Amino acid sequence: MSRFIGVLLGVFLPPVGVFMVAGLGLAFWINLVLTFFFYVPGQIHAFWVLAHTRNDGRRADDGMQTFIALLTAFFLPPLGVLFKEGFTMSFVINCILTLLFWLPGSIHALWVITED
């Protein structure tokens, strides 16, 4: 499964996104409790787990950079793309998408950040 799908699941159903990457381990149960009591901390924890874990289950080398980019992309999509990719065509496209509608810009930013 791609990281992009995991991140989208992490936005809307955080425990499902964490389960897809980490299985029924400790990270899943922590996320389930966080999401049940406090939804936004559950999302942040899901971003943390998804950013620090690669598709094959190994630890990601750029986990902290990806985590910060995911958090900023969720609220300010062009800033997240700029942080991860720099001033590229992806940044320009994301600015246009975000100016038209916030949701397409946010989805595009999450896609740009999670593509390997």
Side-chain angles (χ1 to χ4, degrees):
M1 185 180 78
S2 72
R3 283 175 83 184
F4 174 67
I5 300 297
V7 169
L8 279 182
L9 288 171
V11 170
F12 298 109
L13 299 168
V16 176
V18 172
F19 172 74
M20 299 302 278
V21 172
L24 285 174
L26 182 62
F28 170 76
W29 295 108
I30 290 172
N31 190 272
L32 188 66
V33 169
L34 285 172
T35 303
F36 183 72
F37 290 112
F38 318 100
Y39 190 73
V40 173
Q43 287 178 315
I44 293 170
H45 180 260
F47 283 162
W48 177 267
V49 171
L50 292 164
H52 284 84
T53 308
R54 294 230 175 262
N55 290 341
D56 57 2
R58 293 182 301 136
R59 184 168 174 80
D61 296 333
D62 62 344
M64 190 55 136
Q65 180 184 1
T66 303
F67 173 68
I68 292 170
L70 286 172
L71 279 181
T72 56
F74 188 66
F75 298 106
L76 297 169
L79 187 60
V81 173
L82 183 65
F83 184 71
K84 184 72 175 182
E85 296 281 320
F87 191 77
T88 60
M89 192 55 141
S90 295
F91 173 74
V92 174
I93 291 170
N94 193 268
C95 286
I96 293 168
L97 286 172
T98 304
L99 286 174
L100 294 175
F101 300 102
W102 176 79
L103 187 60
S106 184
I107 291 172
H108 177 261
L110 295 175
W111 177 71
V112 167
I113 291 168
T114 57
E115 73 177 345
D116 288 330

